[in-house]
Each structure stands twice: as structure tokens, then as C-alpha cells.
Amino acid sequence: IEKLILEGALRPGEKLASERELASRLDVSRPSLREAIDKLVDRGLLTATRSGTSVAQFLLPLMAPLANLYREHPDAAADYLEFRRWVEAQAARAAAERATEVDKAAIHRCLANMRRAHKSKDSTKEAQADVNLHILIYEASHNFIVLHVMRALSELLRSNVFFNRENLYLKPGVREKLLAQHVDIGEAVIAGDPDAAEAAAAAHIQFVFNAVEEIKRDSKRLECSISRVGRSAFLSGRSAAR
């Protein structure tokens, strides 16, 4: 169980099979299994309640206060995307060098899901497939630290801590470019081309950074325009009529 958690096969928040099923699958006695689970609970890797045993959100104690800090920090998105550019480029390179046929098949399926979501023009499904592809790249890099840290950060991304991903997909012309970029990354990994994978991943994050900054600027301009239209509420009747 510990090995499966380390390798990312068992993910934080996922519920384990019943004690009876696990004992049967692992070919151990239920008392032995119970003792092992207790040890993993003590080590913070599992949580046990009346409803069953689940993989612990073991990075949550770090990520929760970090998320609250980022929400109040206007430069958080820029710092996050700079960090992502560094990590994504190397993770994609490692994935192209290390991905197994199983990894490649999963990436291929994810790209197909992305194309379907794009065709249906469902921004929510498209954004979800986006996150899923990046996690598959982390898994294919076969670096456990990258996998667990970036998976935890991806949960912040899903909750729009840094920026609203759906807004990104709603921006005119962006959806097509994002799809093409994700396909470039995925296909480079599948083809085993480290240079192409690294370049595609770095270019993708730079594009996202530029798009997010543009959305912020557009939002500030809109706020400014609205404040001008509503300025009469702050003026005397004579001044407002001018």
C-alpha cells in the first residue's frame, strides 16, 4: 500500500477497498492488514474512519495555508507560472526519456479526450482534461517528488487559486492554441523526443502566462470603464449633469 501511494497509483482522497477485499487481494490475514493500516495511519499516509480507509491528503497541511496566502497575493499567478515553466519543461523532457508504453497509452487517451472536449466546446471538461494531461506527464517523468508536489499544486489550480482556468478557455482564440500546444507536448512524449517535449512544455506555460496577464489587464480596463459610467453617484446633481 505504501509503495502504491509513493508511486502515485493510490491518490490522496481515494478510498481503499474494504478490509476483507484488501486482505484477499494481498493474501494476508485481516489482523496483519489491520496492523499495517494502523502503521500507515500513524505515519500520516492513510486516514481511517467509520466509513472506511482513505489515502490521506498528506500535503494538505502545507498547501491549505499556502493557498490562503496566494489568494491575497496579486503576484502569485506570475510566480506560480514561472515555477511551472521550470518544472514542466524538465518533467516533459524526463517523460519523453522515461515513459513506458502504459504511460504513452494513457497520454494518448487523454489527448483524445481533450479533442472531444474541444469539439463539444465544453470549457469545464476542456480545463479538466488540461489538468489531467499535465498530471500524466508528471507520472511519466517517474520522479516521485515532482509527481506529488505538482499533483498537490494542481489541486490548487482546479480550485482557481491562481487564476480561473475556465476564463482562459473562454478567451477568443485561446482554446485552439491550447489544444495544439497540449497535442505538441503529448505527441513529443509519445514519440520519445526530449528536446521537442521540453520546448513545447516551456512554450505552453509562457503562452498561458501571457494570456493570464492579458485577461487581468482586460479586467482592469473594464473596471475602469464601469467606474467612469457610475461616477455620477459620487457627484452633486449639477456636476453629474455636465
Side-chain angles (χ1 to χ4, degrees):
I1 292 172
E2 180 184 42
K3 183 172 181 288
L4 290 173
I5 293 172
L6 174 66
E7 293 174 348
L10 292 177
R11 302 177 179 183
E14 289 185 332
K15 189 174 180 179
L16 301 187
S18 68
E19 186 180 283
R20 179 180 297 176
E21 289 178 273
L22 280 176
S24 175
R25 291 176 189 177
L26 297 171
D27 193 25
V28 297
S29 68
R30 292 176 69 174
S32 294
L33 174 65
R34 207 171 295 129
E35 181 182 353
I37 287 176
D38 287 343
K39 288 181 179 179
L40 293 177
V41 169
D42 290 341
R43 291 169 59 185
L45 294 175
L46 294 178
T47 57
T49 64
R50 290 182 179 179
S51 61
T53 303
S54 302
V55 180
Q57 298 279 2
F58 44 83
L59 287 179
L60 191 60
L62 169 65
M63 293 302 170
L66 203 58
N68 291 329
L69 183 63
Y70 286 156
R71 284 191 180 95
E72 305 301 324
H73 197 300
D75 297 325
D79 290 347
Y80 168 73
L81 287 168
E82 183 177 55
F83 172 76
R84 279 279 304 275
R85 188 170 66 247
W86 298 334
V87 176
E88 294 282 350
Q90 293 307 308
R93 183 177 192 87
E97 294 171 340
R98 303 171 182 175
T100 66
E101 291 306 313
V102 174
D103 296 328
K104 293 176 182 180
I107 292 170
H108 181 76
R109 288 193 298 272
C110 187
L111 290 176
N113 289 336
M114 293 188 82
R115 290 187 177 101
R116 282 193 293 271
H118 181 81
K119 190 174 181 179
S120 69
K121 297 182 179 180
D122 187 326
S123 60
T124 301
K125 287 183 179 178
E126 215 164 355
Q128 181 62 56
D130 177 336
V131 175
N132 291 343
L133 177 67
H134 286 285
I135 290 176
L136 289 173
I137 298 296
Y138 307 145
E139 291 178 350
S141 76
H142 290 273
N143 182 301
F144 298 146
I145 301 298
V146 168
L147 172 59
H148 289 291
V149 171
M150 296 307 291
R151 183 184 280 169
L153 285 174
S154 293
E155 288 304 315
L156 298 186
L157 195 59
R158 290 180 202 268
S159 58
N160 297 326
V161 168
F162 300 105
F163 57 89
N164 190 310
R165 290 184 79 78
E166 291 182 33
N167 284 349
L168 186 63
Y169 275 92
L170 292 173
K171 185 172 175 61
V174 167
R175 292 176 59 248
E176 291 72 20
K177 292 178 181 178
L178 287 176
L179 176 62
Q181 290 164 8
H182 286 121
V183 169
D184 286 345
I185 297 169
E187 289 186 347
V189 171
I190 291 171
D193 188 336
D195 291 338
E198 180 180 354
H204 165 59
I205 299 300
Q206 186 61 51
F207 174 80
V208 172
F209 173 81
N210 293 339
V212 169
E213 289 300 304
E214 189 173 341
I215 289 171
K216 286 181 180 178
R217 288 194 295 269
D218 289 346
S219 178
K220 287 180 180 178
R221 290 180 188 128
L222 180 60
E223 289 176 6
C224 183
S225 298
I226 291 173
S227 69
R228 287 174 185 149
V229 171
R231 74 189 189 93
S232 60
F234 298 90
L235 300 174
S236 67
R238 181 178 299 176
S239 296
R242 290 178 182 175

